[in-house]
Amino acid sequence: MSRTIDDVVSPTQTNTIPADISGQMLDLDEDDDFEVFSKDSTLADGSMFNASMQTSPGSMVNQCKFEEDEDGDSKDIFITVDNPESHVTAIETFITYRVLTKTTRSEFDNSEYEVRRRYQDFHWLKGKLEEAHSTLIVHPLPEKFVVKGMVERFNGDFIETRRKALHKFLNRIADHPILSCSEDFKVFLSAQAWELTTYKKQGPGFLSRMGETVRAVANSVRGVKNRPEEFTAIQEYVEDFSNKISSLDKVTQRIVKEQKEYLEELKEYGPTYTLWSGSEEELAEQLKGVAGCIERCCQETEEQVGHLSDTLVPVLHEYVLCAETLKAVLRRRDNIQAEFEAKNEALATKKVDRDAESSDLGFVWGSLLGKNPEEARHQRQERLDGEIEELKVEIDKLEDRVEWANNALKGDWVRWQRSMRGDLKSAFLSTAEKNVDYYEKCLAVWETFLLSQRTEPSEETDRDNTS
Amino acid sequence: MRQQHTTQEDMMADSGPKEVAVIGNTDLTSAELDNNIKNTMVEIEKGTSLLRKMEISVAEAEKRTGKNTVNMQEIYTVYLIETRPVDALTEGITPDSLWRRYSEFELLRNYLLVTYPFVVVAPLPEKRAEIVWHKLSADNMDPDFVERRRVGLENFLLRVASHPVLCNDNIFYIFLTEEKDWKEMVYETGFQAKADSRLKAVNAAFRVKNPDGRFTELKHYSDELQTVLSQLLRVRARVADRLYGVYKVHGNYGRVFSEWSAIEKEMGDGLQSAGHHMDAYAASVDDILEEEEHYADQLKEYLFYTDALRAVCRKHELTQFELEMVALDLACKKQQKEELVTGTVRTFSLKGMTSKLFGQETAEQREAKLQVLEQQLEEGEEAVKEKNTESDEFVKTAWVDIERFKDQKDRDLKEALISYAVMQISMCKKGIQVWTNAKECFNKM
């Protein structure tokens, strides 16, 4: 599917071009008109657009298209997250990570940026992206809090795991054709700390965000009536996938636990052979040999467990979070459709109203005000006609919005499935490879020992002959 | 599954049941290992005439109910002992057989211990399962335990049958060949009367002055070996337990992969087959640990052997002590004679006291006493000579058997350790195979 986002937006809309249009120019292949949308409220009318609609088609740059085939060769932005550092203030202690960006994209002023960000900042970015692109699939962040096991927040492993996840998070966004063009993303990567703080404070006010939430809740309560089959199918899949991936996550963590306990016992096992060798003469060498083998196997086991923890566990955990993201995306899509459906119903009701023969109440009012009934009815008709026209315009916009949301989701769904398959396949492959490697190394250890034993019997028979 | 009394070296051929059995001398023809032949020859020369004549095995185990000594119902297990002339092997003649229960084996062993105190008598398998890992129940009725006990009992019989001295014992022969009245026969030997009381033995151990240094060393060694092997076996059981856990949890992968494959299009096949391999992996641990149990049994046998070693040491201490006592007595008497003859009282004695108090004895009295003492001295000399011979005999024969035991132990345990390495190799190979297969499946995802 190759469509530019701008096609979805109503082509009849023309607006003044705001002064700051950096990052918001659309490259048009079909239409001559410039269609620009900005974040400020010149267009904004709560009932026509909500904040998310404003920025989603707007934050487009150059070649942002939904394309099935993404080739790594065209990667023009490289991000690393590293170098965690602890910061202590009077109020709190927190960790910041260095975010290093190298890019050739023109909307960036420089080609290299180095900033420090804390978890809060990543969380903010995710929120903004989801707000602006409610039906796109944003890769999950590592969790805010770690409950199980009461892991120390400042424990080395925890920080490293988080760092890797944050790295992946940013890179997934960078790979995304639409999300990577987001202004918020650009600011996140390039702004200095204080600049970011100022920038964060912008945006739709509290009240409009409130209204947003209320409407969203209302829509989710109402529910969607005619959900297209394909989204129901996706939802069912996501349910099942969520269950399966959670199970796999738990199973893998259990394996790690069992393996660690096995390692603990194994560490005590080798020394018993060494102890025994102290009491023996003929057998001493052999016993020490066995002890050595067990010890080396311990080392291999330790490595294997480490690999499992570093490679498979984080990926499975990520996809547990992904499943939740997917559920949220589907919900938001449903809400958009629900809103559209609601307005449609309102229209139908209004039409019925207008076409009604008479209205006793209106007649009464009209007569009270000294108007004659004919005039009153005519005025009422006109008023209703006006309202119906307004509704129709709104509905058109909402319909477009639904269509855009659906297409965005469909495109991203295909993308997501592909990366899910890739990620999980490579994680399991890596695990299997490591396990083969582990057994091969242990095999070598014992085979070497066995080889050394098979040469000894000849010494023994020599002794027998001489005795 | 019946297990033949094949040699322990058989495990070198990478297949077949791993057997806890006697070494070398039973299968003259099998000789799978070169060094086995040498050992075999050595043993034959020592005269294992019994095994040259007959093949012995403990073929089966069965449950019986009956009344015990206090007339209460009890369930117990009996074991079928089969014997067959060696040359009948190829002719397919059915073996003679009889049933014995564990307590009869115990009786036999006690008889042997008392009758041949200079022999390191092979131990019986555990009465109750003690050092176990969680999968094995500690229940004596558990079929796995019964099976392992059957193997252990067969091993015991073969050890005895291959012992140069014990194999000629008549009671042993009848144990193998005649079911009825055996018990009565054993009791008739009066061995129980010959048994040294525990108290006597402990007393001797404390008070002996000059035991042969080698026996003291041996005692220390058996204590050390017991400690070390107990610890080793305990840790091994814990390791086995944990390994079981690791493998079995992978079975969950099998289940979840299978369920997940149902909702995936591209990945479905890969996941499904990977799941099967995970199931296979989880299942493979049962065989692995079963094999390891045989290894543990081999070590356990030597753990229990330490008791037999200590018994021989105790017997030496006892005979040495008795010798010392007799020699002391003789020395004492000599002393007394000297005093009587020379008229001096060098040491304190009641005689001395009374003579001081009541006056010297008459010449006749002294003469009489001297006569008695002479007699006693003669008897004492005889006793010392006897005890000396006894002690020397014991030390000689015991040490021969101890050397035999040491060689046997070194050989057996060397083989056991090798078989352990072979087991580990087998486990690693299985692991490689499973995960290589799984990798293939993941590749198809």
Side-chain angles (χ1 to χ4, degrees):
Chain A
M1 172 176 73
S2 178
R3 289 182 63 169
T4 54
I5 300 307
D6 49 281
D7 287 348
V8 181
V9 176
S10 163
T12 59
Q13 195 78 24
T14 51
N15 295 281
T16 53
I17 300 167
D20 172 28
I21 58 168
S22 62
Q24 292 172 2
M25 292 294 278
L26 294 173
D27 199 20
L28 313 170
D29 38 14
E30 274 138 71
D31 298 302
D32 291 334
D33 302 338
F34 256 78
E35 284 160 349
V36 180
F37 299 88
S38 71
K39 277 199 281 280
D40 68 18
S41 49
T42 48
L43 308 172
D45 165 9
S47 60
M48 291 173 79
F49 291 100
N50 56 34
S52 67
M53 181 59 170
Q54 286 181 344
T55 53
S56 45
S59 320
M60 291 292 293
V61 185
N62 303 346
Q63 314 85 307
C64 290
K65 295 175 200 260
F66 265 133
E67 282 184 347
E68 296 281 342
D69 41 0
E70 292 161 19
D71 43 343
D73 295 339
S74 59
K75 199 170 152 86
D76 55 3
I77 179 163
F78 298 87
I79 304 175
T80 49
V81 176
D82 59 13
N83 201 340
E85 265 176 20
S86 187
H87 293 255
V88 185
T89 68
I91 319 162
E92 55 175 348
T93 310
F94 58 91
I95 310 268
T96 62
Y97 303 83
R98 180 176 78 148
V99 179
L100 190 60
T101 311
K102 291 198 170 84
T103 178
T104 52
R105 289 198 185 171
S106 53
E107 70 274 17
F108 284 86
D109 295 333
N110 299 341
S111 59
E112 236 185 82
Y113 290 95
E114 184 179 325
V115 295
R116 295 208 73 90
R117 296 282 178 253
R118 57 185 289 192
Y119 182 86
Q120 260 181 24
D121 301 327
F122 287 85
H123 197 256
W124 166 86
L125 175 64
K126 178 163 194 259
K128 295 300 288 180
L129 290 174
E130 282 179 340
E131 215 183 293
H133 308 274
S134 59
T135 56
L136 288 184
I137 303 167
V138 179
H139 200 69
L141 271 180
E143 279 142 330
K144 218 175 170 76
F145 308 109
V146 181
V147 184
K148 55 178 177 279
M150 255 86 74
V151 175
E152 272 274 321
R153 269 173 68 220
F154 304 109
N155 168 273
D157 277 344
F158 173 74
I159 293 174
E160 176 59 17
T161 311
R162 210 181 226 203
R163 182 202 66 77
K164 279 199 219 157
L166 292 173
H167 176 98
K168 198 159 185 193
F169 168 75
L170 286 181
N171 275 287
R172 280 295 153 91
I173 297 172
D175 288 341
H176 197 289
I178 300 174
L179 294 176
S180 63
C181 305
S182 148
E183 175 68 15
D184 300 314
F185 184 53
K186 173 167 165 272
V187 171
F188 178 90
L189 292 175
S190 56
Q192 289 308 305
W194 58 268
E195 284 173 353
L196 184 62
T197 318
T198 318
Y199 180 82
K200 279 190 194 180
K201 292 196 177 129
Q202 292 179 336
F206 177 68
L207 283 177
S208 101
R209 279 204 298 272
M210 264 285 275
E212 209 21 62
T213 318
V214 169
R215 263 217 306 288
V217 169
N219 289 335
S220 59
V221 164
R222 178 190 297 110
V224 70
K225 302 257 169 70
N226 293 309
R227 187 194 292 129
E229 179 53 40
E230 59 184 315
F231 294 111
T232 306
I234 293 178
Q235 186 175 57
E236 280 169 7
Y237 171 87
V238 170
E239 265 310 308
D240 288 332
F241 177 82
S242 175
N243 287 336
K244 298 310 150 217
I245 208 74
S246 296
S247 294
L248 284 177
D249 184 39
K250 286 201 205 91
V251 169
T252 310
Q253 293 197 30
R254 177 77 189 280
I255 289 177
V256 168
K257 175 169 166 282
E258 294 284 341
Q259 192 79 313
K260 281 186 174 162
E261 285 175 353
Y262 167 69
L263 183 61
E264 284 313 300
E265 297 296 349
L266 205 61
K267 281 184 179 161
E268 293 191 24
Y269 186 42
T272 60
Y273 284 90
T274 311
L275 189 65
W276 184 6
S277 73
S279 307
E280 295 290 339
E281 289 162 13
E282 281 295 306
L283 294 171
E285 272 312 303
Q286 209 176 7
L287 289 170
K288 280 192 253 189
V290 172
C293 288
I294 295 173
E295 218 179 279
R296 276 195 295 285
C297 287
C298 271
Q299 287 164 3
E300 296 302 333
T301 307
E302 193 138 26
E303 225 185 87
Q304 191 256 5
V305 175
H307 182 269
L308 207 60
S309 300
D310 286 341
T311 306
L312 189 56
V313 171
V315 171
L316 289 175
H317 195 63
E318 245 172 68
Y319 277 92
V320 169
L321 297 175
C322 264
E324 293 309 305
T325 304
L326 287 171
K327 288 181 191 167
V329 165
L330 287 169
R331 267 199 304 274
R332 288 199 288 266
R333 190 219 69 84
D334 277 356
N335 286 347
I336 291 172
Q337 184 172 340
E339 199 174 333
F340 165 70
E341 285 175 353
K343 276 275 152 31
N344 249 338
E345 278 166 27
L347 178 67
T349 315
K350 274 243 163 19
K351 280 190 177 163
V352 166
D353 252 2
R354 181 195 56 184
D355 297 340
E357 280 289 304
S358 64
S359 164
D360 291 322
L361 203 57
F363 184 68
V364 169
W365 266 120
S367 58
L368 275 178
L369 291 170
K371 288 199 178 129
N372 70 51
E374 261 311 309
E375 220 185 297
R377 189 146 32 99
H378 184 67
Q379 274 184 357
R380 193 172 145 274
Q381 288 280 54
E382 268 188 21
R383 181 173 55 80
L384 279 176
D385 276 336
E387 285 172 2
I388 285 169
E389 278 316 304
E390 276 179 22
L391 263 181
K392 276 197 182 150
V393 169
E394 267 183 60
I395 284 170
D396 273 346
K397 291 206 164 44
L398 285 177
E399 191 168 18
D400 287 338
R401 197 163 147 246
V402 168
E403 206 178 323
W404 188 85
N406 287 351
N407 290 334
L409 177 51
K410 274 196 276 200
D412 229 21
W413 172 242
V414 173
R415 252 190 113 249
W416 180 87
Q417 279 188 303
R418 227 180 321 128
S419 25
M420 180 270 285
R421 278 201 299 274
D423 283 350
L424 290 177
K425 172 175 167 173
S426 95
F428 280 116
L429 255 178
S430 175
T431 303
E433 269 166 15
K434 182 63 193 168
N435 285 348
V436 171
D437 179 57
Y438 162 73
Y439 278 115
E440 278 176 348
K441 291 214 180 97
C442 290
L443 178 69
V445 165
W446 286 106
E447 275 184 338
T448 311
F449 169 76
L450 199 63
L451 213 61
S452 73
Q453 294 310 304
R454 291 251 164 102
T455 54
E456 274 180 36
S458 56
E459 294 165 16
E460 208 180 273
T461 49
D462 288 340
R463 268 195 320 106
D464 274 349
N465 287 336
T466 56
S467 65
Chain B
M1 176 180 71
R2 260 213 64 178
Q3 292 174 327
Q4 295 295 327
H5 57 278
T6 47
T7 64
Q8 283 172 323
E9 284 84 348
D10 274 355
M11 98 292 283
M12 291 306 233
D14 250 323
S15 61
K18 305 292 182 282
E19 159 73 304
V20 182
V22 80
I23 42 90
N25 54 351
T26 54
D27 265 312
L28 303 183
T29 51
S30 68
E32 254 129 324
L33 268 171
D34 299 49
N35 64 332
N36 191 27
I37 299 176
K38 285 252 161 26
N39 299 332
T40 309
M41 308 278 274
V42 169
E43 286 294 341
I44 294 288
E45 271 144 36
K46 288 203 180 121
T48 51
S49 47
L50 186 64
L51 280 170
R52 272 186 294 190
K53 281 192 300 186
M54 109 201 308
E55 184 193 298
I56 307 171
S57 65
V58 176
E60 281 161 39
E62 242 181 46
K63 291 223 214 324
R64 297 275 170 84
T65 53
K67 299 252 166 135
N68 66 6
T69 47
V70 290
N71 216 32
M72 283 176 58
Q73 274 293 88
E74 61 166 0
I75 304 175
Y76 58 90
T77 315
V78 286
Y79 300 86
L80 185 68
I81 301 180
E82 283 184 355
T83 50
R84 183 162 47 184
V86 156
D87 43 26
L89 260 174
T90 48
E91 291 170 34
I93 295 177
T94 52
D96 295 322
S97 62
L98 47 79
W99 295 95
R100 295 267 182 233
R101 49 187 299 192
Y102 188 87
S103 55
E104 290 175 279
F105 281 84
E106 279 183 313
L107 183 60
L108 171 65
R109 185 163 187 271
N110 287 337
Y111 161 80
L112 291 172
L113 279 171
V114 171
T115 314
Y116 305 92
F118 57 94
V119 170
V120 182
V121 180
L124 287 171
E126 291 175 294
K127 197 169 179 113
R128 274 160 247 295
E130 268 160 29
I131 310 174
V132 289
W133 56 281
H134 84 110
K135 192 202 150 204
L136 296 181
S137 70
D139 172 24
N140 289 354
M141 291 295 137
D142 176 64
D144 282 334
F145 176 72
V146 168
E147 169 59 18
R148 291 197 5 262
R149 221 207 222 180
R150 182 193 65 73
V151 171
L153 291 173
E154 183 176 288
N155 186 55
F156 167 75
L157 291 180
L158 291 171
R159 290 275 194 211
V160 175
S162 65
H163 191 280
V165 172
L166 299 180
C167 68
N168 298 314
D169 185 274
N170 197 41
I171 295 286
F172 175 59
Y173 186 78
I174 296 173
F175 178 86
L176 296 173
T177 52
E178 279 172 49
E179 190 161 343
K180 287 162 66 121
D181 303 328
W182 173 79
K183 261 197 180 161
E184 283 71 27
M185 284 190 68
V186 181
Y187 290 134
E188 267 166 36
T189 62
F191 81 93
Q192 284 160 320
K194 283 189 251 162
D196 299 316
S197 81
R198 197 66 181 196
L199 191 59
K200 238 180 30 172
V202 171
N203 184 46
F206 268 126
R207 295 171 56 189
V208 68
K209 295 222 169 52
N210 291 310
D212 185 314
R214 295 176 297 173
F215 284 92
T216 316
E217 227 180 276
L218 186 66
K219 203 163 69 152
H220 288 149
Y221 170 74
S222 31
D223 287 340
E224 274 174 22
L225 189 62
Q226 181 178 41
T227 310
V228 142
L229 281 180
S230 303
Q231 193 186 4
L232 194 156
L233 286 166
R234 259 198 310 273
V235 178
R236 189 214 71 89
R238 289 205 302 263
V239 169
D241 211 9
R242 290 295 169 205
L243 191 70
Y244 184 78
V246 171
Y247 272 74
K248 284 302 177 189
V249 178
H250 280 82
N252 288 324
Y253 270 155
R255 184 179 47 86
V256 180
F257 278 166
S258 184
E259 290 168 11
W260 183 17
S261 72
I263 60 171
E264 295 291 340
K265 288 192 291 262
E266 283 89 350
M267 298 201 291
D269 287 336
L271 279 176
Q272 178 85 320
S273 31
H276 289 148
H277 292 301
M278 291 297 101
D279 285 333
Y281 183 71
S284 68
V285 75
D286 293 314
D287 283 343
I288 289 169
L289 290 178
E290 174 85 29
E291 270 189 62
E292 264 202 29
E293 215 51 48
H294 289 300
Y295 168 72
D297 282 343
Q298 285 175 283
L299 295 184
K300 268 188 213 169
E301 191 193 13
Y302 280 92
L303 172 64
F304 301 148
Y305 253 123
T306 58
D307 274 342
L309 281 176
R310 271 191 294 268
V312 173
C313 293
R314 274 198 304 275
K315 184 67 183 178
H316 164 72
E317 281 167 353
L318 195 60
T319 46
Q320 177 68 10
F321 177 69
E322 283 171 357
L323 171 61
E324 284 172 6
M325 287 294 101
V326 163
L328 195 64
D329 192 57
L330 181 64
C332 216
K333 296 261 182 329
K334 279 194 173 146
Q335 181 85 331
Q336 284 179 359
K337 174 183 167 183
E338 202 196 302
E339 284 169 12
L340 214 52
V341 162
T342 60
T344 54
V345 181
R346 247 178 287 131
T347 59
F348 177 80
S349 71
L350 200 55
K351 257 268 97 32
M353 275 305 294
T354 52
S355 58
K356 279 222 158 74
L357 290 170
F358 300 112
Q360 291 275 20
E361 345 161 83
T362 62
E364 290 92 8
Q365 280 177 323
R366 244 203 7 233
E367 216 29 66
K369 281 201 193 92
L370 248 158
Q371 285 247 349
V372 169
L373 263 176
E374 285 290 351
Q375 178 76 340
Q376 283 177 340
L377 276 172
E378 247 182 73
E379 286 167 1
E381 297 276 5
E382 271 308 307
V384 167
K385 234 195 315 194
E386 254 178 62
K387 278 290 173 192
N388 239 328
T389 318
E390 198 186 304
S391 183
D392 280 348
E393 236 348 90
F394 181 83
V395 167
K396 214 170 54 181
T397 52
W399 209 254
V400 165
D401 203 56
I402 285 163
E403 290 295 341
R404 179 204 62 83
F405 168 78
K406 278 188 183 171
D407 286 342
Q408 175 197 294
K409 174 204 71 158
D410 285 340
R411 264 197 313 269
D412 287 351
L413 292 176
K414 243 189 169 78
E415 287 308 316
L417 291 171
I418 288 176
S419 80
Y420 185 70
V422 171
M423 273 179 234
Q424 299 305 305
I425 287 171
S426 160
M427 178 173 99
C428 289
K429 284 187 175 161
K430 281 188 202 163
I432 290 172
Q433 189 176 56
V434 163
W435 285 104
T436 307
N437 290 339
K439 191 175 126 182
E440 288 307 308
C441 297
F442 289 137
N443 242 332
K444 291 201 215 114
M445 262 164 74

